Amino acid sequence: MTIKNCIEKNYSQCAVSKCNENSCKMKFNKIGTHIIIKGESISQGKFKICDYLVFIDNESCIICSIELRSNNTDHPTEIHEKLENSVPIIKDILKKCGNNRTKIKYYPILLSKSIDRFHEAFLTAKKINGEKIIRENCGIQLKTILDKY
């Protein structure tokens, strides 16, 4: 069973077709087989988590924690916390659906329309599960991020 099929079976109530909040969105053209999970749905409001988790099931497994910001209201430590809190959820999903995959690539991503340069410096210096936070503008293709990083 593919990761996508397993997630659809076990987390169907959390699966969504798009990744957008207010006027900030991520595009998924030319990305291949993937599934998007709404962070708030999977956490059931019990803790702060990023907006979306994306699992891409290609020759290797690519996982993205995505936080979307259409404005600059959250403090950077809160954004970091939301991305950090996604890691245990991802590990639980992989335990159930990962089929013991050894090739897994993780991308913590912040998309925003604008961000204070000090907040951006703080966030891009931080790491989530050993990976630097990637900051890009709203509306970008996920494929562009994957090719760039």
Side-chain angles (χ1 to χ4, degrees):
M1 181 183 304
T2 66
I3 290 176
K4 181 179 188 251
N5 291 342
C6 180
I7 292 171
E8 285 173 339
K9 178 182 174 190
N10 293 289
Y11 303 95
S12 61
Q13 74 282 5
C14 304
V16 294
S17 60
K18 294 185 230 176
C19 190
N20 64 335
E21 297 286 325
N22 298 322
S23 58
C24 189
K25 65 181 175 181
M26 176 170 274
K27 298 176 184 172
F28 292 93
N29 299 349
K30 300 176 186 169
I31 214 62
T33 304
H34 67 280
I35 187 161
I36 306 166
I37 295 176
K38 181 78 172 128
E40 291 171 357
S41 296
I42 204 157
S43 76
Q44 299 174 340
K46 295 177 184 169
F47 51 89
K48 293 178 181 181
I49 190 169
C50 63
D51 293 315
Y52 297 94
L53 303 174
V54 178
F55 292 80
I56 303 166
D57 200 6
N58 294 333
E59 56 277 347
S60 64
C61 180
I62 298 170
I63 304 164
C64 305
S65 299
I66 302 170
E67 179 66 17
L68 303 177
R69 303 275 43 150
S70 58
N71 56 38
N72 202 13
T73 57
D74 283 349
H75 193 274
T77 55
E78 187 172 330
I79 293 169
H80 180 261
E81 177 187 11
K82 289 178 176 182
L83 290 166
E84 185 82 19
N85 287 346
S86 69
V87 173
I89 298 292
I90 290 167
K91 288 180 178 179
D92 287 345
I93 291 170
L94 285 175
K95 189 184 247 183
K96 188 178 276 187
C97 298
N99 298 330
N100 298 320
R101 295 264 187 140
T102 55
K103 290 180 72 176
I104 297 171
K105 183 68 178 144
Y106 173 66
Y107 296 86
I109 301 169
L110 167 64
L111 294 189
S112 63
K113 286 189 167 192
S114 65
I115 188 168
D116 176 277
R117 65 186 174 115
F118 297 108
H119 289 179
E120 182 171 14
F122 172 85
L123 287 166
T124 55
K126 292 286 187 179
K127 289 187 176 184
I128 308 290
N129 204 43
E131 299 294 332
K132 285 192 170 191
I133 296 173
I134 299 165
R135 211 299 287 172
E136 291 287 347
N137 292 323
C138 295
I140 193 168
Q141 297 277 351
L142 181 55
K143 175 121 175 62
T144 304
I145 292 174
L146 299 179
D147 290 345
K148 187 174 176 181
Y149 298 94

